[in-house]
Amino acid sequence: MNRSGRKRLALLVVAGLFLFTACGGGPPAQTGDSLNVLATTSIVADVVAQVGGDFVTLTVLLPAGTDPHAFSPQPQDAAALADADIIFANGAGLEAFLPPLLESAGADGKLVEVSAGIELQPLPGGDASTGDPHTWMDPNNVIVWTQNIAAALSSADPAHAADYQANAAAYAASLRALDAWIRAQVEQVPPANRLLVSDHAVLGYFAARYGFTQAGSITGSFSSEAAPSAQELAALEDKIRADGVRAIFVTEASNQSLADQVARDTGIQAVWLYHASLTEAGGPVPTYLDFMRYNVNAIVNALK
Ligand SMILES: [Zn+2]
């Protein structure tokens, strides 16, 4: 497995040297004092980095571009969990691989689910026993993440609680600005065009917040792992034609041949969205804010 997606941010050395200079005496802070935190996805990791700042050393479990629905951990992943002081996961059922991995690492007590407290949406017409795990598709939910992350870091490292709270407040302001920008962008899409069809049911929170309808998906599920029957696929294509759906949104979690077939059969365009991963630094969406701006521009341009 390519582990190049792992990032380690070890900035406490710099912070310690600054402290040494500023105080004019005493030893610099030990890097061993830094919280060693692990995040499952790169999106969770970006928000943890925003809140933790220089006081955390951060490891990302899933390499960039990985579909978390289909992730298979390797033995070294259990070691990474065992080494962490705190394990930040999206939660809400996204990381199906995590419970057995936590058990094998003896790390159950370290888990913090950043989506805790968010009311999960059910799949339209689907099984109500599972909620939609894609909470980050509404930046207002990510404000809840920042609060959960700040609380967990403050509890583990009370000496820097004020820093974590200040970082969380500053990032929440950026998320509110993002929300306002999205509201302005989606005004370009006529109400009749606000129908979202995607490879799997990834856009429920976006739809609910910004006045769209999640009209259907290829897998008919929150997971990219389900496989539709021929009848289900035909019914989706009928709905696309009947409702005048203008695009199908596809992600790294797509069964690309099925998505291409639906687009070809119905004569609509297939439009790429980022789903559950950022890109590496230097790529198109290295941060969550970039990720949302990219996706909103893609949706608005396809449907306006
Ligand atoms: Zn997904």
Side-chain angles (χ1 to χ4, degrees):
M1 176 174 292
N2 173 14
R3 310 308 298 174
S4 66
R6 288 210 173 153
K7 302 168 185 171
R8 298 189 71 86
L9 306 175
L11 300 173
L12 195 72
V13 177
V14 177
L17 290 172
F18 175 76
L19 191 68
F20 180 72
T21 308
C23 299
Q30 298 297 305
T31 53
D33 294 343
S34 164
L35 280 179
N36 184 17
V37 305
L38 180 142
T40 53
T41 75
S42 49
I43 295 176
V44 173
D46 181 40
V47 182
V48 170
Q50 298 295 330
V51 177
D54 296 345
F55 303 112
V56 301
T57 302
L58 179 59
T59 300
V60 188
L61 190 67
L62 272 64
T66 303
D67 174 11
H69 303 292
F71 179 65
S72 297
Q74 301 297 305
Q76 65 267 28
D77 294 326
L81 263 65
D83 287 345
D85 297 315
I86 304 175
I87 297 159
F88 287 105
N90 178 79
L94 181 74
E95 297 100 339
F97 61 86
L98 198 53
L101 192 62
L102 285 166
E103 188 174 350
S104 67
D108 288 296
K110 305 173 186 176
L111 178 65
V112 174
E113 296 189 333
V114 297
S115 295
I118 295 169
E119 185 176 351
L120 301 184
Q121 292 191 6
L123 190 67
D127 178 2
S129 67
T130 59
D132 185 346
H134 305 93
T135 56
W136 61 90
M137 289 298 182
D138 176 356
N140 296 280
N141 288 340
V142 179
I143 293 176
V144 177
W145 288 19
T146 67
Q147 294 161 349
N148 287 333
I149 293 164
L153 293 175
S154 298
S155 175
D157 177 20
H160 295 117
D163 299 294
Y164 298 133
Q165 298 298 337
N167 289 346
Y171 190 57
S174 300
L175 295 170
R176 282 191 289 273
L178 174 65
D179 174 64
W181 178 83
I182 296 172
R183 287 178 191 283
Q185 294 306 306
V186 300
E187 286 303 312
Q188 300 174 61
V189 181
N193 291 0
R194 294 186 174 198
L195 300 172
L196 301 171
V197 171
S198 48
D199 51 24
H200 68 298
V202 68
L203 291 167
Y205 297 97
F206 179 87
R209 179 67 67 178
Y210 300 110
F212 288 69
T213 299
Q214 186 167 246
S217 67
I218 290 177
T219 69
S221 157
F222 294 132
S223 175
S224 58
E225 295 292 274
S229 68
Q231 289 85 350
E232 288 167 336
L233 216 52
L236 178 64
E237 292 187 354
D238 287 345
K239 185 170 175 56
I240 288 170
R241 294 188 189 96
D243 294 351
V245 173
R246 296 170 68 94
I248 180 166
F249 297 100
V250 300
T251 73
E252 76 273 16
S254 289
N255 179 325
Q256 197 63 51
S257 63
L258 279 183
D260 288 344
Q261 181 190 330
V262 170
R264 194 169 53 241
D265 288 352
T266 57
I268 63 174
Q269 57 178 325
V271 176
W272 171 263
L273 294 184
Y274 289 94
H275 156 235
S277 174
L278 307 178
T279 54
E280 300 281 7
V285 297
T287 72
Y288 170 73
L289 298 177
D290 295 324
F291 167 100
M292 287 302 293
R293 290 188 198 108
Y294 180 99
N295 283 347
V296 169
N297 281 329
I299 291 168
V300 168
N301 288 332
L303 302 185
K304 72 183 179 184

